[in-house]
Amino acid sequence: MTNPERTAHAPSTAGGPSAAGTSSGTSSGGDLARQIVVAVSAVLAVVGSFIGSGAAGGQRVQDAAGGALAADATLVAPGGGAFAIWSLIYFGLLAYAVWQFLPAQRTAERHRRLGPWVAASLLLNAAWILSIQFDLLWLSVPVIAALLVVLVMAFRISLLLRPTGTIDAVVTDGTIGLYLGWVCVATIANIAAVLVAAGFDGFGLPPETWSVALVAVAGLLGIALAVWDHGRIAPALSLSWGLAWIAVARLSDEPSSTVTGIAAIFAVVAVLIATAAMRVVAIRRHADSARG
């Protein structure tokens, strides 16, 4: 998941400033504290996920807050199967917590800069689950909005500071990318759920007008990400996954909406095509740079 264009323009000297995985200074207590905070935050997020799944005695997220976030609550609610992606995201976050804890990563500038943002995202994720569990549905919107901003900042750092190798690319960039793509869709679904639960009538417009508009926004976010990150695969896949499950829910479950389902399918195709196109452009630029 490395960016070929960025790699092509980055200095190749092992000790250069853009070699994100190299030591940028001596190890300090601050580095160890950062690693511990990230690891503890990851554990808290996983504990929160157990609470949100109902495994720890609490209500499932789908059932909490009066079922406002259930798959049949709004026209842009993803089908229940969509949430299986959280298993992969949590696995990646735990893997990152271990990876950044390794001595070789302790003084890496990349992880020094990423660590606080990753920890913040994990704590916000746990806070979002708690807001739903305590029926504070209104609070979930600013929390998930803050989570989205934090993930954008973390993703930006992963773009600026290239990974040191395949493991770093998969564990770090892959996890953050999946997390960001999914939260883009989740934020839209969350806002829609809160508005519907609050009795918002859509200013008299048909519900499907709003659902198609929101699906279009999600698709445009996916295209914007593809342009920004030169076709990284992880965010495109998770965002498309969420959109695909909106299509599944609307075409095979209640509330049924063929228009919304088809719009979601078009959005998935658009995101994937944009991502593939930007990836090809980045690879060609890398090849041209190598020849030059």
Side-chain angles (χ1 to χ4, degrees):
M1 295 183 187
T2 56
N3 187 322
E5 183 178 16
R6 187 179 69 247
T7 303
H9 293 286
S12 59
T13 305
S18 66
T22 59
S23 175
S24 58
T26 57
S27 179
S28 66
D31 288 317
L32 180 59
R34 165 181 50 79
Q35 291 172 306
I36 292 174
V37 168
V38 171
V40 171
S41 299
V43 172
L44 289 175
V46 171
V47 170
S49 73
F50 277 107
I51 295 174
S53 68
Q59 295 184 84
R60 296 186 308 162
V61 167
Q62 302 95 305
D63 300 328
L69 296 171
D72 59 356
T74 72
L75 290 177
V76 292
F83 300 98
I85 196 173
W86 273 116
S87 297
L88 183 58
I89 292 173
Y90 281 127
F91 177 81
L93 289 168
L94 289 173
Y96 176 76
V98 173
W99 173 250
Q100 59 92 41
F101 224 112
L102 298 179
Q105 313 302 322
R106 178 171 297 178
T107 60
E109 180 65 17
R110 165 174 247 244
H111 299 300
R112 280 178 168 172
R113 292 180 62 181
L114 276 173
W117 295 105
V118 172
S121 76
L122 291 162
L123 294 175
L124 284 167
N125 184 47
W128 182 86
I129 292 173
L130 289 175
S131 70
I132 301 300
Q133 287 291 324
F134 285 100
D135 291 332
L136 298 173
L137 190 60
W138 60 270
L139 183 59
S140 68
V141 173
V143 172
I144 201 169
L147 174 58
L148 181 59
V149 171
V150 165
L151 288 173
V152 167
M153 295 302 298
F155 192 64
R156 177 176 178 272
I157 293 170
S158 75
L159 292 175
L160 292 174
L161 299 177
R162 58 192 172 101
T164 55
T166 301
I167 295 177
D168 196 22
V170 172
V171 172
T172 305
D173 299 54
T175 298
I176 293 173
L178 287 174
Y179 200 179
L180 173 60
W182 171 254
V183 169
C184 285
V185 176
T187 300
I188 290 171
N190 195 163
I191 292 173
V194 172
L195 289 174
V196 169
F200 178 63
D201 64 0
F203 301 116
L205 294 174
E208 288 184 327
T209 300
W210 286 99
S211 63
V212 170
L214 290 174
V215 165
V217 168
L220 290 173
L221 283 175
I223 293 171
L225 280 174
V227 173
W228 182 33
D229 62 24
H230 303 289
R232 286 206 177 187
I233 298 170
L237 288 180
S238 56
L239 196 149
S240 296
W241 171 267
L243 286 170
W245 275 99
I246 291 176
V248 169
R250 300 291 71 81
L251 295 175
S252 64
D253 203 352
E254 296 296 332
S256 176
S257 174
T258 302
V259 172
T260 304
I262 292 175
I265 292 172
F266 273 108
V268 170
V269 173
V271 170
L272 295 179
I273 288 176
T275 301
M278 295 308 301
R279 192 69 176 174
V280 169
V281 169
I283 292 172
R284 286 181 176 174
R285 287 180 179 174
H286 172 55
D288 291 343
S289 177
R291 285 195 297 267

